[in-house]
Every structure is written in C-alpha cells, then in structure tokens.
Amino acid sequence: MMKRLAVIGVALLAACSSNPPPPDWQMNAKAASERSVAAYLTGNSRIEAAELARARAEVARTGRADLLARVELTQCAAQVASLVFGACAAFEPLRGDSSAPERAYADYLAGRVTPADVGLLPEAQRAVATSPAALGGVADPLARLVAAGVLFQTSRADPQVIGIAIDTASAQGWRRPLLAWLNVQLKRAEAAGAGDDAQQLRRRITIVERGAAP
C-alpha cells in the first residue's frame, strides 16, 4: 500500500541496487517506516507506534540525524493528510542537521513555507503550492492527501479539494483521514442547512467508525 513514500518528499532512502546488497538497517528502516504510516492511516495506533519505534531504532544505528529527520517528517506528513496540524515536534530537534529541502518540507507541513522555498519541495507539493488546481493531477494518493491537508490548513481548500481528499482516502481504505475529511464536509453541510446531505454524511461516518481498529 505504501510503495512510494518518496513522492511526499520524505522517502527514507534511495532505491537500492542489487549489487552490492543494501545494508540490513536500510531495508528494515524503510519497511518499518512504511508500515508505521500505513497503520496510522488505517487507525491502528498500536502497530503505528511499534513500527515507528523500530524505524527510529534502525536509523539510529547510523548516527545520522538527517535520516532520522526524514523518518519524522514522513510520520508528520501522514498526520497532515489526516488534518492533524501543529509543529512536527520530533523533527524540530533535528532541524539543524537537516538539509534545506527537509527544512522547507517541515515548514510546508506546518503551513508556513515561504515563496522562496517552494522550489525546494517535492514535485507534487511544489505544483499544488503554486496552483491548488493541480491537486487532482497528483498521482500518488498520500502525496495528494498531504497537499490537500496543507491547502485546508492554509484556508485554500474549496469543496473540490475536500471532495478529492474524501475520494482519495476512501479509495485507499484509510480510515483516519477519511473520517477527518468527512467531518469537514459534514460541518459545511450543516452550516449550509443541507439536511439531506448532512444525514448522508453521518451515515457514512458511522459505517467508517464501526469498522475502526481498536
């Protein structure tokens, strides 16, 4: 499910060649980070925490703060996709040892990237930061949701953005962001006095909640 975390700009590692084989820590850390994000998006907090701890431990074996920073940014990106905002707390102590693109991505997730730093973002996020209309053309589902989350955080999420986010989360079976975005749409329907739409959204939210992981 999480084949291309690189698309959100925080892939843990570059692709590995078959000769020589990659170090064990590299493969272990990448797999654990992917499993942690997948568990977060589906709402399984227990697995998320266990896999995140494993990813951190594997990267810590290298003593490289920049690689650990990418693990933390990956996790924070999943939170933004689920409309959980705030500073990426685990990244901030590593900011000084991170590259300019990593710092720009952290600022982007916090909704405060500067125009001068937009060019440092991954391609998908750069396109949407420049033009929100580009959201529908983002191929990777998680990158699309992250970009939608940033648009919402910066008050640039129109009904089309919300619809794209809901459809994306639903298609992937990602309960956590789906519930977040459905509740956004529900509040809009209630504010507009759209009673039938609100009732339909409540029924859909109930279906998702009943299937949520413990």
Side-chain angles (χ1 to χ4, degrees):
M1 179 170 60
M2 307 299 298
K3 293 181 179 178
R4 292 179 56 199
L5 287 175
V7 181
I8 63 171
V10 288
L12 183 56
L13 298 160
C16 304
S17 62
S18 58
N19 187 24
D24 287 344
W25 73 264
Q26 193 176 73
M27 299 300 291
N28 294 342
K30 181 177 184 295
S33 180
E34 291 176 352
R35 288 192 297 266
S36 179
V37 170
Y40 179 85
L41 294 171
T42 56
N44 194 321
S45 299
R46 180 181 61 82
I47 293 178
E48 174 216 348
E51 294 296 342
L52 179 57
R54 185 172 292 111
R56 287 168 170 165
E58 291 291 342
V59 173
R61 293 166 56 188
T62 71
R64 288 184 56 181
D66 60 328
L67 293 182
L68 186 57
R70 294 174 193 172
V71 172
E72 305 303 347
L73 286 172
T74 299
Q75 208 70 19
C76 290
Q79 293 172 5
V80 170
S82 305
L83 304 184
V84 177
F85 303 124
C88 188
F91 167 78
E92 289 306 320
L94 306 167
R95 179 180 283 270
D97 295 308
S98 301
S99 68
E102 289 159 350
R103 295 193 298 272
Y105 192 72
D107 291 341
Y108 171 76
L109 294 178
R112 60 170 187 265
V113 69
T114 66
D117 286 342
V118 167
L120 297 174
L121 297 175
E123 182 178 355
Q125 274 69 38
R126 186 167 64 246
V128 178
T130 303
S131 173
L135 181 67
V138 176
D140 181 81
L142 183 52
R144 196 183 314 134
L145 271 181
V146 171
V150 172
L151 290 175
F152 183 83
Q153 185 178 195
T154 54
S155 302
R156 293 187 295 163
D158 59 18
Q160 184 177 9
V161 168
I162 296 170
I164 289 172
I166 288 172
D167 290 346
T168 300
S170 176
Q172 298 299 315
W174 289 337
R175 291 189 184 106
R176 195 186 298 266
L178 178 58
L179 283 172
W181 286 100
L182 284 174
N183 276 289
V184 167
Q185 195 172 54
L186 174 60
K187 289 179 181 178
R188 291 175 64 92
E190 290 173 339
D196 290 344
D197 290 344
Q199 286 294 339
Q200 184 181 43
L201 286 164
R202 291 190 193 100
R203 290 193 295 271
R204 190 171 181 184
I205 288 169
T206 298
I207 291 171
V208 180
E209 288 178 337
R210 285 176 178 170

